[in-house]
Amino acid sequence: MAEVLVLKVADLSDPAADWIVVDSSGARLGPPVTGPLSAARIDVGERRLIVLLPAADVLTTSLELPVKSPAKIQQALPFALEEYLADDVEDLHFAAGTRRESGKIPVSVIKRRTLESWLEKLSDAGLKPDALLAETYGLARIPGTISLLIAKDQVFINDGADTELVLQGVRPAEALAAIGATEEELEERENAEQTRAPRHVLAYCEPGSEETYAHDFVALRHDFDSVDVKVLPDGVLPRLAVTAATGAGVNLLQGEFGARTEYASLLRPWRQAAMLLLALGAIGIAAKAIDYVKLSRQEAGLREQFLAEYREIAPGTDDVRDPVAVISSLRARAGAGGGAPTVFLQSLEQLSKAIEQHGEASIQAISYRAGVVDVRLSAPSVSVLDNIQRSIDQGGSFEAEIQSTDQDGDKVNSRIQIQASGP
């Protein structure tokens, strides 16, 4: 199994730390060590490094969110918790864990500046953590059992469901009463049967604490089915490391503080191939640019030639934007018999004149069937469409009828039918 070094820090101003080496299942591979933070770097080596931050620095909670995408959950957290936080959410960092069976998502919140200070302190000691957890998550979550960890003046609580917290300056019995787990508190609830707390307590104590709180444990045995007290001869770290090493808890290294992929090292073996590919791409782009310039010059020459020829037919013409449309119009005028192609082209000519006379309108689609031209227009307003319709009607050769209009933002989409006027 992979080896993990779990390191517990106490305070930003404290240069010392505690650490222990365990495997990925939490089994101890050595004794706990206490020493300067910089000394832990030697023991880390190639091991995965998990750092437990003081519970006082991190708020841990859980909440229900309807979104499932990790990115959307990250975006929703500040808004979901804003009313419960004293600090400005812009000054806080939010991290989410894996959704639990209850549907709730565990969340950790820490001041951004505090997190930056811890990362800076670890970096100065030559340490780069793979995970940064609140020490609260070092207490295992056991369904149906309330787990307690009594360390100095703090009581860590995990209710076996969705509550992980630490209380300071209270006794174990007071801590359980605070979360409404004692029999007395349960009786005060209106729906005690539906909210009945776990009836088993597992308490971990440092040496000497079991005697200090012996009275509490005796009293708790009257409220719970069982109270099991375990003494931790080597301190709390080995107990916390067992849970932390198995992947429990919420890693604060998310979002902007998450691990970044070193793309330079990944791309280094492909450097020469990438350079050749870039060179080939540059050559291809240059060739396309040369072809574009040549074709642009040819187009400009053909336009000038066409304009010169067309001015012999229509003197005074300034410019021709669409030579194909002009040729089609000339052919329609030269045609005879009023066949379908002639009717279609003449109706388009009448429509073009009407659009040119009345505002900024654009043609979206044109279809022709059985002597009827169906045109879809986009115009700034309904009045512009009315003016276009009247202009076509006034020409005498065609009749226009607005079939439908639809407001789309600041534009009006319309469908107009054009057909030859009756005899």
Side-chain angles (χ1 to χ4, degrees), residues 4-209:
V4 182
L5 187 141
V6 180
L7 184 143
K8 181 178 179 295
V9 291
D11 189 84
L12 278 168
S13 61
D14 191 344
D18 301 311
W19 63 90
I20 189 172
V21 177
V22 297
D23 63 24
S24 55
S25 67
R28 291 173 55 172
L29 300 179
V33 180
T34 300
L37 189 60
S38 57
R41 181 172 56 87
I42 300 174
D43 288 343
V44 172
E46 299 299 322
R47 298 182 175 106
R48 188 165 181 264
L49 175 60
I50 298 177
V51 177
L52 302 179
L53 295 183
D57 287 352
V58 187
L59 168 67
T60 57
T61 185
S62 60
L63 72 163
E64 294 183 2
L65 286 175
V67 296
K68 295 183 178 180
S69 166
K72 291 183 177 179
I73 290 175
Q74 191 71 27
Q75 294 173 356
L77 288 179
F79 303 100
L81 295 172
E82 184 175 12
E83 61 180 300
Y84 304 104
L85 303 171
D87 297 288
D88 193 326
V89 293
E90 295 182 355
D91 298 329
L92 301 173
H93 172 65
F94 298 82
T98 304
R99 192 184 299 271
R100 292 171 175 168
E101 298 83 355
S102 63
K104 290 188 176 182
I105 300 172
V107 179
S108 289
V109 184
I110 187 173
K111 290 184 179 179
R112 190 180 299 273
R113 181 56 193 152
T114 301
L115 180 56
E116 291 172 348
S117 298
W118 274 119
L119 290 174
E120 182 180 352
K121 183 175 181 178
L122 292 169
S123 178
D124 291 342
L127 300 173
K128 185 177 181 181
D130 297 286
L132 216 58
L133 312 176
E135 60 181 341
T136 316
Y137 289 116
L139 197 55
R141 185 163 62 97
I142 306 173
T145 298
I146 298 178
S147 298
L148 301 178
L149 176 63
I150 304 159
K152 297 180 180 178
D153 64 339
Q154 293 181 319
V155 178
F156 294 81
I157 304 176
N158 188 316
D159 71 346
D162 297 308
T163 299
E164 296 105 346
L165 54 84
V166 61
L167 299 175
Q168 192 161 358
V170 298
R171 302 178 68 87
E174 295 171 337
L176 290 174
I179 66 170
T182 61
E183 193 69 35
E184 181 180 352
E185 294 293 329
L186 285 174
E187 290 176 355
E188 294 180 0
R189 300 183 185 179
E190 295 179 355
N191 56 342
E193 292 299 323
Q194 288 76 21
T195 57
R196 189 172 186 270
R199 306 313 304 151
H200 304 281
V201 174
L202 176 58
Y204 298 97
C205 300
E206 293 179 306
S209 295

